[in-house]
Amino acid sequence: MLLTITTTHQPATDLGFLLHKNPARTQTFPLSFGKAHVFYPEAAPERCTAALMLDINPLELVRGHRSYKAETLENYVNDRAYAASSFLSVAMAEVFSSAMNGKCKDRPLLVGTALPLKAMITPLPCRGGDALLRRLFEPLGYTVSAVQHPLDEVFPDWGESLYHTVILEAALPLSQFLTHLYVLIPVLDNDKHYWVGDDEVEKLLRRGEGWLASHPERDLIVSRYLKRRKGLETIALAALLAEDAEDIDTVQAEHADEEAEVEKKISLNEQRMQAVVEAVRSSGATRVLDVGCGEGKLIAVLLKEKQIEKIVGLDVSHRALEIAGSRLHLETMPEKQRERILLMQGSLTYRDKRLAGYDAAAAVEVIEHLDLSRLAAFERVLFEFAAPQTVVITTPNREYNAKFETLSAGKFRHKDHRFEWTRTEFGAWAMNVAARFEYDVRFEPIGDSDESLGAPTQMAVFAKRTKNFSPSSTVSTAPTEISTEV
Ligand code: SAH
């Protein structure tokens, strides 16, 4: 992987003094896990670029670390040798240590000077996507741009990968610039790293001095950097809070703004959950599937419903399920409560026997994450094979996007959305599905409705038409009368 740092400060070749690396030479530094090469692709008075290329030996990783003793294939087949991660941070700290610590005998005045700097990092795994990348760097004054790379250029249908080429620009002293990268690259990568010891708290506090305490994503940065080691996290946060106390007024003001922003979101999200729970509750369901359950928001609300005996959350993302498990406190939940929940990994576009035998299924903000070409498979999996009496589906109403000021025309609300539908499009799809799989369907808007654009979220509630329909009966959806056909 490659990190380049460019400046247009004049003379730009002063970068060589600040980094303590001569632009005329290529240098190689041995590291415990491979080699770091430093060279300058350009070194002119107007513009100078230093490159740090990391050449990781994957076998060193396997041999060199305790936690790698287990002979699993993942130890040998992984992206650690190719992706920017904590190894890049370790290399930076070793190779650019004087620059990071703000030491430069030759150009002492430049050490504290804000220089126009630009970093390019590739490939950087961004867990949390472009949005998190921005939330991490923009509050520190960076201009961020990123290109996401496909999983495989030959098979564009496979979609996007985690890997980005990221460009970060800011006018900052070089030591601060490098320090931000040092802390935030592993935060974005958020994968295994091998150097979390007790002194990591001390390192984080030292590297985060002056910026981390008041960073709006402070808690996430600390948690990811310390790899969710609770004990360490608590120590670090306590220290950061103490540091932050001096600046409490600014932080309070910032938090109030954030809260307003969050509340806007919460209210739509809460309204959505309430509407879905209401539809499930009034169907009389006791066994409920939450397909594409993500981090378990709906499950948390469904748990409060006494009528519901069993809730199964299914998601394709192992990570999302892990988060769901910890948000729901599954580990410490009383046994009776715990037995009501089952989280399982699976894909909604493959027939799955485990989904049979439930009264209701909810797919909240999920269909728009599926490729249109896979939607037909999803329809069969849910309506033909799982075939619960009630299916509740929510999805954004694209017409309403015009009301989101921050959303440019033609853009979707989320990077991972494959499509967003107007009310007519969703209506047509839902009615077609209902007709083919013998359901009735009704529609409900969720959130504050605009007269001409409709509501931000649209919901369809499907009820299976009863097979043994008796002409004398006016009730067509009593759940006990219906046999699940799987
Ligand atoms: N229902 C949740 C999450 C919505 S985000 C909520 O409202 O908060 C969409 C979720 O669908 C993600 O968690 C994603 O991992 C999941 N997903 C996307 N494609 C899927 C598939 N093919 N099978 C199962 N889950 C999928």
Side-chain angles (χ1 to χ4, degrees), residues 103-133:
K103 289 189 195 139
C104 184
K105 272 204 282 270
D106 292 305
R107 296 286 184 280
L109 288 179
L110 279 187
V111 166
T113 308
L115 308 173
L117 293 168
K118 174 161 128 181
M120 191 276 299
I121 312 156
T122 191
L124 177 62
C126 295
R127 289 184 174 80
D130 198 62
L132 180 62
L133 176 69

mmCIF file of all heavy atoms in Angstrom, residues 103-133:
data_model
loop_
_atom_site.group_PDB
_atom_site.id
_atom_site.type_symbol
_atom_site.label_atom_id
_atom_site.label_comp_id
_atom_site.label_asym_id
_atom_site.label_seq_id
_atom_site.Cartn_x
_atom_site.Cartn_y
_atom_site.Cartn_z
ATOM 1 N N LYS A 103 10.112 17.547 15.342
ATOM 2 C CA LYS A 103 11.518 17.927 15.535
ATOM 3 C C LYS A 103 12.161 18.196 14.179
ATOM 4 O O LYS A 103 12.025 17.372 13.270
ATOM 5 C CB LYS A 103 12.284 16.789 16.200
ATOM 6 C CG LYS A 103 11.900 16.610 17.633
ATOM 7 C CD LYS A 103 12.833 15.633 18.286
ATOM 8 C CE LYS A 103 12.231 15.181 19.608
ATOM 9 N NZ LYS A 103 12.407 13.767 19.823
ATOM 10 N N CYS A 104 12.846 19.339 14.041
ATOM 11 C CA CYS A 104 13.562 19.616 12.797
ATOM 12 C C CYS A 104 14.601 20.696 13.041
ATOM 13 O O CYS A 104 14.262 21.871 13.185
ATOM 14 C CB CYS A 104 12.579 20.048 11.707
ATOM 15 S SG CYS A 104 13.384 20.285 10.117
ATOM 16 N N LYS A 105 15.859 20.266 13.114
ATOM 17 C CA LYS A 105 16.935 21.224 13.405
ATOM 18 C C LYS A 105 17.132 22.186 12.243
ATOM 19 O O LYS A 105 17.402 23.361 12.433
ATOM 20 C CB LYS A 105 18.237 20.452 13.649
ATOM 21 C CG LYS A 105 18.382 20.045 15.122
ATOM 22 C CD LYS A 105 19.823 19.827 15.496
ATOM 23 C CE LYS A 105 20.360 18.589 15.053
ATOM 24 N NZ LYS A 105 20.761 17.475 14.826
ATOM 25 N N ASP A 106 16.974 21.657 11.013
ATOM 26 C CA ASP A 106 17.289 22.475 9.842
ATOM 27 C C ASP A 106 16.245 23.531 9.544
ATOM 28 O O ASP A 106 16.545 24.576 8.994
ATOM 29 C CB ASP A 106 17.465 21.574 8.615
ATOM 30 C CG ASP A 106 18.699 20.714 8.749
ATOM 31 O OD1 ASP A 106 19.781 21.295 8.959
ATOM 32 O OD2 ASP A 106 18.564 19.471 8.689
ATOM 33 N N ARG A 107 14.989 23.234 9.825
ATOM 34 C CA ARG A 107 13.927 24.202 9.538
ATOM 35 C C ARG A 107 13.002 24.349 10.759
ATOM 36 O O ARG A 107 11.805 24.082 10.681
ATOM 37 C CB ARG A 107 13.057 23.708 8.345
ATOM 38 C CG ARG A 107 13.782 23.594 7.009
ATOM 39 C CD ARG A 107 14.042 24.980 6.392
ATOM 40 N NE ARG A 107 14.657 24.875 5.083
ATOM 41 C CZ ARG A 107 15.969 24.654 4.877
ATOM 42 N NH1 ARG A 107 16.805 24.489 5.903
ATOM 43 N NH2 ARG A 107 16.446 24.595 3.649
ATOM 44 N N PRO A 108 13.548 24.783 11.893
ATOM 45 C CA PRO A 108 12.755 24.784 13.120
ATOM 46 C C PRO A 108 11.463 25.617 13.006
ATOM 47 O O PRO A 108 10.449 25.250 13.585
ATOM 48 C CB PRO A 108 13.692 25.384 14.180
ATOM 49 C CG PRO A 108 14.806 25.998 13.423
ATOM 50 C CD PRO A 108 14.907 25.310 12.105
ATOM 51 N N LEU A 109 11.515 26.676 12.223
ATOM 52 C CA LEU A 109 10.325 27.528 12.133
ATOM 53 C C LEU A 109 9.167 26.854 11.415
ATOM 54 O O LEU A 109 8.001 27.171 11.645
ATOM 55 C CB LEU A 109 10.661 28.842 11.424
ATOM 56 C CG LEU A 109 11.517 29.796 12.255
ATOM 57 C CD1 LEU A 109 11.833 31.061 11.472
ATOM 58 C CD2 LEU A 109 10.812 30.141 13.580
ATOM 59 N N LEU A 110 9.527 25.930 10.547
ATOM 60 C CA LEU A 110 8.471 25.259 9.765
ATOM 61 C C LEU A 110 7.675 24.256 10.592
ATOM 62 O O LEU A 110 6.565 23.887 10.236
ATOM 63 C CB LEU A 110 9.088 24.518 8.570
ATOM 64 C CG LEU A 110 9.424 25.351 7.354
ATOM 65 C CD1 LEU A 110 9.851 24.414 6.214
ATOM 66 C CD2 LEU A 110 8.208 26.158 6.916
ATOM 67 N N VAL A 111 8.289 23.830 11.709
ATOM 68 C CA VAL A 111 7.662 22.766 12.497
ATOM 69 C C VAL A 111 6.263 23.152 12.951
ATOM 70 O O VAL A 111 5.326 22.359 12.881
ATOM 71 C CB VAL A 111 8.560 22.405 13.707
ATOM 72 C CG1 VAL A 111 7.804 21.576 14.716
ATOM 73 C CG2 VAL A 111 9.789 21.676 13.212
ATOM 74 N N GLY A 112 6.109 24.389 13.385
ATOM 75 C CA GLY A 112 4.791 24.801 13.886
ATOM 76 C C GLY A 112 3.952 25.503 12.832
ATOM 77 O O GLY A 112 2.868 26.010 13.136
ATOM 78 N N THR A 113 4.460 25.581 11.598
ATOM 79 C CA THR A 113 3.752 26.341 10.572
ATOM 80 C C THR A 113 2.733 25.468 9.838
ATOM 81 O O THR A 113 3.040 24.329 9.482
ATOM 82 C CB THR A 113 4.763 26.875 9.517
ATOM 83 O OG1 THR A 113 5.788 27.555 10.213
ATOM 84 C CG2 THR A 113 4.112 27.793 8.511
ATOM 85 N N ALA A 114 1.551 26.040 9.610
ATOM 86 C CA ALA A 114 0.553 25.312 8.805
ATOM 87 C C ALA A 114 0.997 25.331 7.354
ATOM 88 O O ALA A 114 1.197 26.389 6.773
ATOM 89 C CB ALA A 114 -0.808 25.980 8.963
ATOM 90 N N LEU A 115 1.190 24.166 6.790
ATOM 91 C CA LEU A 115 1.631 24.053 5.389
ATOM 92 C C LEU A 115 0.492 23.474 4.558
ATOM 93 O O LEU A 115 -0.294 22.674 5.063
ATOM 94 C CB LEU A 115 2.827 23.096 5.294
ATOM 95 C CG LEU A 115 4.005 23.352 6.214
ATOM 96 C CD1 LEU A 115 5.016 22.218 6.108
ATOM 97 C CD2 LEU A 115 4.657 24.678 5.844
ATOM 98 N N PRO A 116 0.420 23.835 3.286
ATOM 99 C CA PRO A 116 -0.586 23.174 2.440
ATOM 100 C C PRO A 116 -0.146 21.729 2.185
ATOM 101 O O PRO A 116 0.891 21.494 1.572
ATOM 102 C CB PRO A 116 -0.553 23.998 1.140
ATOM 103 C CG PRO A 116 0.771 24.689 1.145
ATOM 104 C CD PRO A 116 1.222 24.831 2.572
ATOM 105 N N LEU A 117 -0.918 20.788 2.698
ATOM 106 C CA LEU A 117 -0.511 19.384 2.604
ATOM 107 C C LEU A 117 -1.625 18.545 1.998
ATOM 108 O O LEU A 117 -2.808 18.824 2.208
ATOM 109 C CB LEU A 117 -0.199 18.838 4.007
ATOM 110 C CG LEU A 117 1.018 19.432 4.691
ATOM 111 C CD1 LEU A 117 1.042 19.039 6.167
ATOM 112 C CD2 LEU A 117 2.313 18.971 4.007
ATOM 113 N N LYS A 118 -1.186 17.528 1.268
ATOM 114 C CA LYS A 118 -2.163 16.630 0.666
ATOM 115 C C LYS A 118 -1.650 15.205 0.831
ATOM 116 O O LYS A 118 -0.507 14.912 0.489
ATOM 117 C CB LYS A 118 -2.285 16.973 -0.820
ATOM 118 C CG LYS A 118 -3.158 16.035 -1.610
ATOM 119 C CD LYS A 118 -3.555 16.732 -2.892
ATOM 120 C CE LYS A 118 -3.262 15.871 -4.094
ATOM 121 N NZ LYS A 118 -3.614 16.518 -5.349
ATOM 122 N N ALA A 119 -2.490 14.334 1.373
ATOM 123 C CA ALA A 119 -2.100 12.926 1.491
ATOM 124 C C ALA A 119 -2.948 12.102 0.550
ATOM 125 O O ALA A 119 -4.126 12.388 0.351
ATOM 126 C CB ALA A 119 -2.313 12.434 2.918
ATOM 127 N N MET A 120 -2.322 11.090 -0.045
ATOM 128 C CA MET A 120 -3.076 10.117 -0.835
ATOM 129 C C MET A 120 -2.777 8.754 -0.215
ATOM 130 O O MET A 120 -1.615 8.406 0.009
ATOM 131 C CB MET A 120 -2.606 10.181 -2.288
ATOM 132 C CG MET A 120 -3.455 9.416 -3.290
ATOM 133 S SD MET A 120 -3.030 7.681 -3.378
ATOM 134 C CE MET A 120 -1.337 7.765 -3.897
ATOM 135 N N ILE A 121 -3.818 8.039 0.114
ATOM 136 C CA ILE A 121 -3.631 6.720 0.719
ATOM 137 C C ILE A 121 -4.391 5.715 -0.131
ATOM 138 O O ILE A 121 -5.574 5.896 -0.404
ATOM 139 C CB ILE A 121 -4.218 6.649 2.148
ATOM 140 C CG1 ILE A 121 -3.760 7.840 2.965
ATOM 141 C CG2 ILE A 121 -3.834 5.344 2.840
ATOM 142 C CD1 ILE A 121 -4.682 8.173 4.107
ATOM 143 N N THR A 122 -3.727 4.643 -0.523
ATOM 144 C CA THR A 122 -4.428 3.626 -1.301
ATOM 145 C C THR A 122 -3.811 2.251 -1.090
ATOM 146 O O THR A 122 -2.589 2.167 -0.972
ATOM 147 C CB THR A 122 -4.434 4.000 -2.795
ATOM 148 O OG1 THR A 122 -5.334 3.139 -3.481
ATOM 149 C CG2 THR A 122 -3.071 3.903 -3.449
ATOM 150 N N PRO A 123 -4.592 1.196 -0.994
ATOM 151 C CA PRO A 123 -6.033 1.177 -0.809
ATOM 152 C C PRO A 123 -6.359 1.226 0.686
ATOM 153 O O PRO A 123 -5.744 0.515 1.464
ATOM 154 C CB PRO A 123 -6.442 -0.169 -1.412
ATOM 155 C CG PRO A 123 -5.235 -1.045 -1.217
ATOM 156 C CD PRO A 123 -4.025 -0.159 -1.136
ATOM 157 N N LEU A 124 -7.307 2.083 1.025
ATOM 158 C CA LEU A 124 -7.689 2.224 2.436
ATOM 159 C C LEU A 124 -9.053 1.577 2.652
ATOM 160 O O LEU A 124 -10.035 2.003 2.038
ATOM 161 C CB LEU A 124 -7.723 3.712 2.813
ATOM 162 C CG LEU A 124 -8.172 4.061 4.233
ATOM 163 C CD1 LEU A 124 -7.246 3.462 5.275
ATOM 164 C CD2 LEU A 124 -8.220 5.578 4.423
ATOM 165 N N PRO A 125 -9.138 0.547 3.490
ATOM 166 C CA PRO A 125 -10.456 -0.030 3.762
ATOM 167 C C PRO A 125 -11.244 0.942 4.635
ATOM 168 O O PRO A 125 -10.759 1.352 5.678
ATOM 169 C CB PRO A 125 -10.144 -1.304 4.568
ATOM 170 C CG PRO A 125 -8.668 -1.358 4.734
ATOM 171 C CD PRO A 125 -8.070 -0.092 4.263
ATOM 172 N N CYS A 126 -12.422 1.333 4.166
ATOM 173 C CA CYS A 126 -13.224 2.281 4.955
ATOM 174 C C CYS A 126 -14.435 1.557 5.500
ATOM 175 O O CYS A 126 -15.463 1.481 4.826
ATOM 176 C CB CYS A 126 -13.693 3.463 4.107
ATOM 177 S SG CYS A 126 -12.359 4.490 3.531
ATOM 178 N N ARG A 127 -14.316 1.000 6.681
ATOM 179 C CA ARG A 127 -15.499 0.377 7.290
ATOM 180 C C ARG A 127 -16.329 1.506 7.886
ATOM 181 O O ARG A 127 -15.904 2.146 8.827
ATOM 182 C CB ARG A 127 -15.078 -0.650 8.340
ATOM 183 C CG ARG A 127 -14.467 -1.879 7.688
ATOM 184 C CD ARG A 127 -14.110 -2.963 8.659
ATOM 185 N NE ARG A 127 -13.670 -4.146 7.935
ATOM 186 C CZ ARG A 127 -12.466 -4.314 7.422
ATOM 187 N NH1 ARG A 127 -11.565 -3.373 7.537
ATOM 188 N NH2 ARG A 127 -12.160 -5.419 6.764
ATOM 189 N N GLY A 128 -17.495 1.715 7.291
ATOM 190 C CA GLY A 128 -18.293 2.888 7.660
ATOM 191 C C GLY A 128 -18.407 3.794 6.452
ATOM 192 O O GLY A 128 -19.128 4.785 6.478
ATOM 193 N N GLY A 129 -17.672 3.451 5.378
ATOM 194 C CA GLY A 129 -17.840 4.105 4.092
ATOM 195 C C GLY A 129 -17.374 5.544 4.067
ATOM 196 O O GLY A 129 -16.744 6.052 4.993
ATOM 197 N N ASP A 130 -17.729 6.141 2.958
ATOM 198 C CA ASP A 130 -17.378 7.516 2.681
ATOM 199 C C ASP A 130 -17.874 8.443 3.791
ATOM 200 O O ASP A 130 -17.203 9.388 4.186
ATOM 201 C CB ASP A 130 -18.097 7.846 1.370
ATOM 202 C CG ASP A 130 -17.517 9.051 0.710
ATOM 203 O OD1 ASP A 130 -16.337 9.000 0.366
ATOM 204 O OD2 ASP A 130 -18.251 10.039 0.582
ATOM 205 N N ALA A 131 -19.063 8.114 4.329
ATOM 206 C CA ALA A 131 -19.677 8.999 5.316
ATOM 207 C C ALA A 131 -18.799 9.063 6.572
ATOM 208 O O ALA A 131 -18.524 10.150 7.103
ATOM 209 C CB ALA A 131 -21.070 8.493 5.668
ATOM 210 N N LEU A 132 -18.330 7.901 7.025
ATOM 211 C CA LEU A 132 -17.497 7.911 8.231
ATOM 212 C C LEU A 132 -16.151 8.589 7.953
ATOM 213 O O LEU A 132 -15.657 9.356 8.771
ATOM 214 C CB LEU A 132 -17.274 6.485 8.749
ATOM 215 C CG LEU A 132 -16.406 6.433 10.014
ATOM 216 C CD1 LEU A 132 -17.073 7.175 11.162
ATOM 217 C CD2 LEU A 132 -16.109 5.010 10.431
ATOM 218 N N LEU A 133 -15.619 8.308 6.767
ATOM 219 C CA LEU A 133 -14.358 8.959 6.385
ATOM 220 C C LEU A 133 -14.472 10.473 6.575
ATOM 221 O O LEU A 133 -13.609 11.130 7.146
ATOM 222 C CB LEU A 133 -14.075 8.611 4.914
ATOM 223 C CG LEU A 133 -12.864 9.256 4.268
ATOM 224 C CD1 LEU A 133 -11.588 8.691 4.864
ATOM 225 C CD2 LEU A 133 -12.877 9.015 2.756
#
